[in-house]
């Protein structure tokens, strides 16, 4: 069994996710779709990054509570957290709890920053797309022949 690597066709994926001109009615909508298809991986990546930060931050909350209220290392502590506790000092110490709390706070702040960047990017794309649609409609209206 060999290694199978698939190259992602972002433009084709964007056409499936955002089928603006798939009904065959307008070429200008297809051009708009093509202009903004490159932003799809960036928006998706920022959304995934925000979710990842939130998941890891909330996932650390339970071991933090376990470490704060016990004098011994909990048995079900995951490997990376066990290593962190070994490096910081004995379980239940002020330094260990404070460091893990600060790390959780940092992850929450990073999640907020990633979500804010994602929202700003989406708003920017939406504004530019709206402007492009308005310009295309205005150009089409100005090109019409008036019979009177």
């Amino acid at each position: 069994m060999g290694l199978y690597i698939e190259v992602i066709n972002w433009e084709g994926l964007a056409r499936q996710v955002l089928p603006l001109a798939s009904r065959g009615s307008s070429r200008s909508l297809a051009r708009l779709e093509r202009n903004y298809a490159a932003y799809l991986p960036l928006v998706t990546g920022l959304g995934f990054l925000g979710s990842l930060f939130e998941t890891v931050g909330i996932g650390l909350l339970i071991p933090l509570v376990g470490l704060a209220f016990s004098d011994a290392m909990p048995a079900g502590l995951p490997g990376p957290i066990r290593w962190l506790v070994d490096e910081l000092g004995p379980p239940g110490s002020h330094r260990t709890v404070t460091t893990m709390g600060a790390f959780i706070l940092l992850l929450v702040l990073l999640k907020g920053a990633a979500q804010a960047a994602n929202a700003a990017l989406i708003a920017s794309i939406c504004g530019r797309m709206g402007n492009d649609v308005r310009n295309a409609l205005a150009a089409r209206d100005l090109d019409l022949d008036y019979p009177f």
Side-chain angles (χ1 to χ4, degrees):
M1 182 181 287
L3 180 65
Y4 176 70
I5 299 175
E6 182 178 343
V7 177
I8 298 174
N9 179 0
W10 289 110
E11 191 172 318
L13 179 64
R15 212 173 338 204
Q16 290 175 358
V17 174
L18 308 168
L20 290 176
S22 63
R23 307 241 155 61
S25 61
S26 174
R27 286 188 203 121
S28 62
L29 287 179
R31 186 173 26 106
L32 277 175
E33 182 180 290
R34 204 171 30 257
N35 288 343
Y36 294 101
Y39 289 104
L40 184 65
L42 184 59
V43 169
T44 306
L46 280 172
F48 177 75
L49 193 62
S51 295
L52 180 69
F53 286 146
E54 182 175 14
T55 301
V56 172
I58 298 299
L60 284 176
L61 193 60
I62 294 170
L64 174 68
V65 171
L67 286 172
F69 293 117
S70 70
D71 293 332
M73 183 144 351
L77 207 59
I81 299 172
R82 185 177 293 276
W83 173 82
L84 183 66
V85 170
D86 286 341
E87 292 296 318
L88 293 175
S93 71
H94 181 70
R95 180 178 175 207
T96 304
V97 173
T98 304
T99 304
M100 287 204 42
F103 190 62
I104 291 171
L105 182 63
L106 174 70
L107 287 172
V108 168
L109 292 174
L110 287 174
K111 173 200 70 121
Q115 287 179 341
N118 198 17
L121 179 63
I122 290 171
S124 171
I125 292 169
C126 187
R128 285 187 279 160
M129 282 183 86
N131 190 35
D132 289 349
V133 168
R134 283 188 299 277
N135 288 339
L137 286 173
R140 191 181 79 180
D141 287 347
L142 290 173
D143 290 343
L144 289 176
D145 289 333
Y146 294 103
F148 52 91

